[in-house]
Structures are given as structure tokens and as C-alpha cells.
Amino acid sequence: MTRTVWDSSVGKKTAMAVSGLIMLMYLVVHMFGNLKIFFGSGDFNHYAHWLRTLGEPFLHYEWALWIIRVVLVVAVVAHATAAYQLSRRDIRARPNKYVHKKPRSSYATRTMRWGGIILGLFIVWHILDLTTGTAHPGGFQPGHPYQNVIDTFSTWYGDVIYIVAMLALGLHIRHGFWSAAQTLGAGNRTRDRALKTIADVLALVLTAGFISVPVGVMTGLVS
């Protein structure tokens, strides 16, 4: 039964919608957590430590964080796999290029695939930079995320990678939220305008919120 649902286009679109909303909820929380950097190293480092003690004493140290990571990995894999398979199915269904060369979809829609690739590569870099420290530009300091963030955004390439990825994220959310709402049956003629407005606001707020961190470091507001 599960395989039958997954093999259908509707099943893949539903998996994309649900996994996308899971990641969106995480991004909202993650953005608010990132903004704590503007309150100083004490608040930001304390927040990072709190994430590791979340759920204690019922859960052991870092268990809640690892549960969140596992859920996110499953969501990312499901989202990417469904997107790739739907893309291949679409190509097989229409092997020839469209007769009309003039694009009829929004810029966000046309860049969803490339945006997904950019975000996938960014996630790998972000983990290697600020989680494992493997690709960190300075001397990575476990337990000192405030200084690690400043190290990353004190480099021009760290700023460029992050800002480009966040702009791609904004476009992805703008189209993806509305598309997920349609897939899950929330959209109709009376609600489409409201859903598009929500998608625009979410994309704008998340993009601005995330980009404010490297901008804060570059301008010296965070130091």
C-alpha cells in the first residue's frame, strides 16, 4: 500500500508537501534562534547549550537535538527524492521542448530545481562549517557558536555562499508553500490570494531574518 502511494504522482507530491512543511517549521524556529546573536555571546551560546539539554531529564543530553536532526534528514531525503522522481517523470512525459519559448510561470517556479540543488549543496557546507568544523575558516571552537559564526561571516566567501543560499531559499519557500497548500487541498478560489500573501510574507521574513546575521557581522553590529 505504501509503495503504491509513493509510486503515484499524487503520493510524491504529498510527500514533498508534508516534508516541505516540516522543514519550513524548523526554519522558522531556527531563524528566531539565530536572531539571538544580536543579544550578545552570552545569550547566543546559552541558547545553543539549551538545545543540547532540551527534554532533560526525561531525555539524555543531545537526544532531542538528534531526534530533530533525524526527522530533518528524513524530510530532506523524502523531499529531494520525490522532487527528482517527479522531474524525471515530467521529462519523460514531455521529451520535446515546448513550442512557446516565452516563459509562462513565475521566476520562483522556473528556478525551483536549481534552487533545490543550491540549497542541498549549502546544507552540506553549513554542516561542515558550523557543526563539524571541518570546513570552518577559523579555529573552530566546540561549544562557542557565537565566535564560530563571526569567523564564518568575517570571510567574503562565507557571506556570499550564505546570502545566495538564503535568496534561493526565499524563492523556494515562496513557490513551495503555495504549491504545498494546493497539494494538501487547502487552496481554492477564495483562499488562493491569502495563501499567496502568506507565502510572500514567509519568504520575505525568513530571507531577511537569516541574511541579517551575516550583514550584522559585516557591519560590525555583531562582533
Side-chain angles (χ1 to χ4, degrees), residues 77-112:
V77 171
H79 197 79
T81 302
Y84 174 77
Q85 292 180 353
L86 283 169
S87 177
R88 297 303 301 173
R89 184 171 293 181
D90 184 55
I91 291 173
R92 286 195 299 269
R94 283 179 274 207
N96 298 319
K97 293 183 178 180
Y98 292 106
V99 174
H100 301 285
K101 293 184 179 180
K102 184 178 179 179
R104 299 189 178 187
S105 57
S106 69
Y107 182 75
T109 303
R110 298 196 305 274
T111 57
M112 281 295 282

Side-chain angles (χ1 to χ4, degrees), residues 125-190:
W125 172 80
H126 197 50
I127 291 172
L128 293 176
D129 176 29
L130 293 175
T131 301
T132 67
T134 308
H136 192 66
F140 184 75
Q141 302 178 50
H144 295 84
Y146 184 88
Q147 186 58 49
N148 292 333
V149 169
I150 290 178
D151 289 343
T152 292
F153 296 134
S154 294
T155 63
W156 67 267
Y157 60 85
D159 294 325
V160 170
I161 291 172
Y162 195 87
I163 291 173
V164 168
M166 293 307 100
L167 291 174
L169 176 66
L171 290 173
H172 212 76
I173 291 173
R174 183 173 180 269
H175 174 74
F177 179 83
W178 184 83
S179 180
Q182 303 304 309
T183 298
L184 298 176
N188 57 39
R189 288 186 177 181
T190 59

